[in-house]
Amino acid sequence: MIPCLIGVCGFTGAGKTTALKILRSKVGGDLIYLGQAVYDELDRRSLQRTPENERHVRLELRKADNAAFAKLCRPAITKCLEGGKTALIDAVMTLEEYEFLAGKLTCPVNLLQIDAGIDIRAARLEQRLDRPMTREQAEKRDKVELDTLCIDRVFAKATHTIVNESSMQAFEAALDGFIAQKVR
């Protein structure tokens, strides 16, 4: 398999991180969290990692450049690809991030949208141990991602979409289909 980039997009609770963990177990590669740029900036400023500080830095970075997260993570992505591995990107949230990645890399770039309806996502998010969320919080976040990030423009660029509203077995089978079509 030649090195490639697989970026995931989707609303919170759709299964993006789970998809990447499954993909990593099947194709290898490095998980690269674009949001790490926020944590790195918080650390650089000696700010505590609170939701308020994270939100402030996230908005500030994106206000300066909607591709900032991808640009700040480019060294990790390049190192991964130059090492002959697949770069698994969690998560592509703006069209500018996608266009930066697709335009700057010479390897194949796949954008995988993970989709699920709000009822299913809300139920998952309320049970999630790491960063749980209420339905109201998820709906508010969806609205921000649509209105501020225009995430629907990212979804429109997806090279593949998987609807994750069934069992884990069905989700893994759909990811196997993605691998067979797009990665190998």
Side-chain angles (χ1 to χ4, degrees):
M1 182 176 74
I2 62 169
C4 70
L5 181 139
I6 301 172
V8 295
C9 61
F11 288 121
T12 189
K16 299 180 301 289
T17 302
T18 300
L20 288 173
K21 288 177 182 176
I22 292 168
L23 288 169
R24 185 176 190 197
S25 74
K26 294 176 181 282
V27 301
D30 290 346
L31 291 172
I32 300 169
Y33 175 54
L34 293 188
Q36 183 64 42
V38 173
Y39 298 136
D40 293 346
E41 186 64 16
L42 287 169
D43 292 347
R44 191 183 70 74
R45 297 181 190 185
S46 300
L47 293 173
Q48 212 173 9
R49 290 186 182 188
T50 65
E52 183 178 318
N53 286 343
E54 289 173 24
R55 183 175 49 256
H56 174 75
V57 168
R58 183 172 43 253
L59 292 173
E60 186 179 295
L61 289 172
R62 284 213 167 104
K63 184 177 181 182
D65 182 351
N66 258 350
F69 290 15
K71 289 177 180 178
L72 291 168
C73 291
R74 185 177 181 188
I77 295 167
T78 301
K79 180 180 178 185
C80 172
L81 295 170
E82 287 176 351
K85 297 184 280 186
T86 298
L88 302 162
I89 308 300
D90 189 358
V92 179
M93 300 298 290
T94 68
L95 182 61
E96 293 83 359
E97 287 172 348
Y98 171 73
E99 289 174 343
F100 174 81
L101 294 169
K104 296 292 182 185
L105 301 174
T106 58
C107 69
V109 174
N110 298 288
L111 183 60
L112 173 61
Q113 180 188 4
I114 307 298
D115 193 21
I118 186 63
D119 291 336
I120 289 171
R121 293 186 298 112
R124 288 177 186 155
L125 290 164
E126 288 173 359
Q127 300 299 314
R128 189 163 72 177
L129 297 176
D130 181 36
R131 299 172 291 124
M133 202 177 281
T134 65
R135 179 188 182 103
E136 182 181 324
Q137 289 170 320
E139 288 173 338
K140 183 177 178 181
R141 185 162 168 179
D142 289 356
K143 182 168 175 31
V144 168
E145 290 175 357
L146 283 166
D147 295 347
T148 306
L149 302 179
C150 302
I151 197 167
D152 53 324
R153 296 182 346 178
V154 178
F155 298 164
K157 293 288 186 179
T159 57
H160 197 84
T161 299
I162 293 175
V163 177
N164 180 22
E165 295 187 333
S166 186
S167 68
M168 186 60 73
Q169 183 179 7
F171 190 42
E172 285 194 44
L175 289 165
D176 286 339
F178 166 75
I179 292 166
Q181 288 179 12
K182 301 289 182 179
V183 180
R184 297 201 173 170

